[in-house]
Amino acid sequence: AQSVAQPEDQVNVAEGNPLTVKCTYSVSGNPYLFWYVQYPNRGLQFLLKYITGDNLVKGSYGFEAEFNKSQTSFHLKKPSALVSDSALYFCAVRDGMNYGGATNKLIFGTGTLLAVQP
Amino acid sequence: DSGVTQTPKHLITATGQRVTLRCSPRSGDLSVYWYQQSLDQGLQFLIQYYNGEERAKGNILERFSAQQFPDLHSELNLSSLELGDSALYFCASSPGQVNTGELFFGEGSRLTVL
């Protein structure tokens, strides 16, 4: 079964410092990986995705993620954190199971709370 | 704004009651997904509909049911509500055909069962 793991419940970083939010995956076949962000009392917003190609994927709000096949990781990064980046971040993998038809169902990790201190 | 609309935003009800949550997908999207977010369970996939037909099913309780109508909006029905059903319920949509695209999420419906 497809799954992702986010080993850190919370990541604390000072504003201006680089940030990394970790994600590892377990899939059969080629992974389709995603990062979403959730601000308080809001829905999930898409940040970026890896499907194929360049291992470094660039997304919204200056975020990027590095796909590493040998380490089965897909860590989210940003060179310089902002206080406004404080939110809950979810890694997700597309479920490749065949339900007999079209599905882009995503399986989410448990989420990592990013706290950026001024 | 993702283009996915969910109503109501907040709902407070009592145990044993029944509620209906509504979702309008993005224009042109054929698939609707329902997720439940709670503190102890995280984000759990409930069910997917594609162009009116059930397409994938997750850990959805028998007390819960959903449907997608010809105009592609979807409703999630929760009955015989229990305290543990209190959660944020998200709807998401996608174009439908299996593709490499992401899901687009609504703002959610927060259900509180007292």
Side-chain angles (χ1 to χ4, degrees):
Chain A
Q2 323 285 61
S3 66
V4 289
Q6 295 181 243
E8 302 156 317
D9 290 336
Q10 183 163 340
V11 169
N12 298 304
V13 64
E15 188 174 32
N17 283 359
L19 69 87
T20 298
V21 182
K22 296 180 180 178
C23 173
T24 58
Y25 65 88
S26 174
V27 303
S28 54
N30 294 322
Y32 291 172
L33 297 162
F34 302 80
W35 276 102
Y36 282 80
V37 60
Q38 184 181 24
Y39 297 100
N41 300 313
R42 301 296 300 276
L44 279 75
Q45 297 179 33
F46 169 75
L47 280 179
L48 51 80
K49 65 184 177 185
Y50 172 82
I51 304 300
T52 187
D54 194 346
N55 289 342
L56 185 63
V57 179
K58 294 190 183 298
S60 307
Y61 313 121
F63 284 93
E64 57 190 26
E66 186 171 10
F67 173 71
N68 188 316
K69 189 172 183 178
S70 63
Q71 297 185 4
T72 62
S73 66
F74 187 56
H75 300 332
L76 182 69
K77 301 182 180 184
K78 188 174 182 181
S80 178
L82 300 173
V83 172
S84 58
D85 292 330
S86 299
L88 188 57
Y89 290 80
F90 289 95
C91 180
V93 62
R94 198 186 83 178
D95 188 350
M97 290 182 63
N98 181 9
Y99 293 94
T103 181
N104 288 320
K105 166 193 165 187
L106 295 181
I107 297 171
F108 286 89
T110 52
T112 298
L113 184 64
L114 174 66
V116 181
Q117 285 87 35
Chain B
D1 183 4
S2 67
V4 178
T5 304
Q6 290 188 246
T7 57
K9 293 190 184 307
H10 301 277
L11 191 55
I12 301 174
T13 189
T15 55
Q17 296 298 305
R18 170 191 167 97
V19 298
T20 297
L21 310 180
R22 181 187 170 101
C23 170
S24 294
R26 291 188 323 156
S27 177
D29 283 357
L30 298 178
S31 271
V32 169
Y33 305 74
W34 286 97
Y35 283 83
Q36 179 194 58
Q37 185 180 31
S38 60
L39 285 176
D40 55 343
Q41 296 289 327
L43 263 169
Q44 296 291 315
F45 169 73
L46 295 178
I47 199 164
Q48 177 206 353
Y49 277 81
Y50 169 66
N51 204 19
E53 295 185 359
E54 182 183 306
R55 188 53 60 97
K57 206 167 186 175
N59 296 325
I60 187 168
L61 299 172
E62 286 190 7
R63 299 184 286 108
F64 296 0
S65 65
Q67 55 183 324
Q68 185 179 27
F69 294 87
D71 67 352
L72 300 177
H73 91 271
S74 177
E75 293 181 356
L76 179 67
N77 300 297
L78 315 175
S79 62
S80 302
L81 285 168
E82 302 176 358
L83 296 177
D85 298 328
S86 296
L88 195 51
Y89 292 85
F90 286 110
C91 168
S93 73
S94 73
Q97 291 299 322
V98 175
N99 57 54
T100 60
E102 61 274 24
L103 302 186
F104 297 88
F105 283 81
E107 296 284 292
S109 293
R110 182 172 295 280
L111 173 66
T112 302
V113 182
L114 301 176

